[in-house]
Structures are given as structure tokens and as C-alpha cells.
Amino acid sequence: SSIFKLGVLRELVLSENPIDISFQGINEAEKLINLYLDDTNVNSLDGIGDAKNLQILNVAGNNLEGTIPFDLYLLTSLKTLDLGYNFLSGKLNNVIGAMTSLESLHLYHNQFTGRIPAAIGDLINLKELNLAENNFDGTIPPELNDLTNLRFLSIQREGGILGTADVGINQGKSSLQGLGLTGPL
């Protein structure tokens, strides 16, 4: 997108506009640190990994589908990542643990499956973790106890089967009937 040719651009807010944007050329916006594209029509994150200096990325409430692109996990300067209210699916990659600058991670209301990766415990700067309303299953990783700066944790509505002791059973809009989360807290 030609908007990224603005070399001294530090913050771009296009929230709540019916636009789609390509991240091609985002590497030219070397000073861009805050990018707000929530509630737009963004349907792909291809190329976002070239925004090496991003500290805030908000693409909540869009049409994102499929898995999280690998190059997003390589944005190690990110402090805030909000991918909530999309259609993202699949398992979270363990490389998420390399995003150690993250203070706020919001992946709520998507279609993620599998176990919550233990590598989330490596995100020692996290203050907010919102994984609610997905289709995670398995045990809650004990590594979450390593998140000593955590002020907000939400993992409710993770599927489940009526009559079990699983966390979050039958509380939400989970599209899969899975086992939900289990284990000690």
C-alpha cells in the first residue's frame, strides 16, 4: 500500500472504516510503531512480518481466516497484539514464546484448536491474556503460573461436554463439541 511510503509515520489508525489494506511495502514505514486496523475489512496479514518496529497491532473484528502467519510470530517488538473477533483457526505455534515483549495478547473469539501452548509461559511481560471463546482442549498448561505480571486472564467458553468438570463447559458459541480445558488451576 502506498500509505507506507510515509517514512516518518509513527501511528496509523484506520479503525471502523470499510477498507482492506495490503501490507506490501510496510517495511518502508520504518518508524511505524502503532497500527490500528480493527473493524475494517482486512482479510490477510500477508507481509505484516516486514513491520519489524511495530509495538501495537490491532486487527480485531475483521475477516481473517486460516492460521496465524508464521512471520507475525517474528514481530518480537510487539507489546500489544489483538486478533480477536476473527475466523482464525488451527493450533497456536510454539514460536509464540519468542514474542517476549508482549504485554497484551488478545486471541479471543476465533476458532483456535488444540492445546494452549506451554510456550505462552515464556511471555514473562504479559499483563493481559485473553484466549476466550475458542476451541482449545487439554489441560491448562502449568507454565501459565510463570506469568507473574499477569493482571487479566480469560480462557472461558472453550467448548466442553455437559456433565464434566472441564473448565468452560457449554458456556459459549464454540462451534466444536470438544472436551474443553481440564486440569488443576
Side-chain angles (χ1 to χ4, degrees):
S1 182
S2 61
I3 192 119
F4 298 128
K5 293 188 185 301
L6 299 172
V8 295
L9 184 68
R10 293 183 50 83
E11 180 167 276
L12 179 58
V13 181
L14 296 172
S15 304
E16 299 182 25
N17 284 292
I19 60 164
D20 188 10
I21 190 166
S22 165
F23 297 109
Q24 183 177 356
I26 197 167
N27 59 315
E28 295 180 55
E30 294 177 3
K31 302 211 184 286
L32 183 63
I33 58 171
N34 300 333
L35 183 55
Y36 296 91
L37 298 170
D38 47 307
D39 297 310
T40 58
N41 287 329
V42 172
N43 60 29
S44 173
L45 293 175
D46 290 344
I48 193 67
D50 292 333
K52 301 291 184 200
N53 296 319
L54 270 187
Q55 293 179 13
I56 297 175
L57 176 60
N58 185 340
V59 289
N62 281 292
N63 299 310
L64 298 171
E65 296 180 336
T67 59
I68 294 175
F70 187 78
D71 61 346
L72 181 70
Y73 292 115
L74 302 179
L75 293 177
T76 56
S77 295
L78 273 182
K79 292 182 179 181
T80 299
L81 176 59
D82 193 338
L83 298 173
Y85 278 97
N86 279 290
F87 303 98
L88 295 167
S89 59
K91 296 179 180 179
L92 296 181
N93 193 309
N94 278 325
V95 76
I96 197 168
M99 301 178 81
T100 56
S101 295
L102 275 178
E103 297 175 3
S104 181
L105 177 60
H106 296 276
L107 303 177
Y108 57 93
H109 200 86
N110 277 289
Q111 299 166 1
F112 293 115
T113 58
R115 296 181 178 272
I116 297 172
I120 285 184
D122 295 335
L123 304 177
I124 58 171
N125 292 308
L126 266 187
K127 296 175 184 169
E128 300 175 0
L129 177 59
N130 190 345
L131 303 174
E133 299 180 10
N134 281 288
N135 293 304
F136 292 116
D137 60 24
T139 58
I140 298 169
E143 290 81 2
L144 290 186
N145 291 322
D146 297 335
L147 302 176
T148 57
N149 292 310
L150 203 60
R151 293 186 217 150
F152 175 83
L153 172 64
S154 180
I155 53 175
Q156 83 271 10
R157 299 182 186 161
E158 296 302 335
I161 297 174
L162 187 60
T164 69
D166 296 337
V167 172
I169 57 146
N170 293 327
Q171 294 181 11
K173 302 171 184 168
S174 182
S175 61
L176 300 177
Q177 283 296 318
L179 294 177
L181 298 172
T182 61
L185 291 177

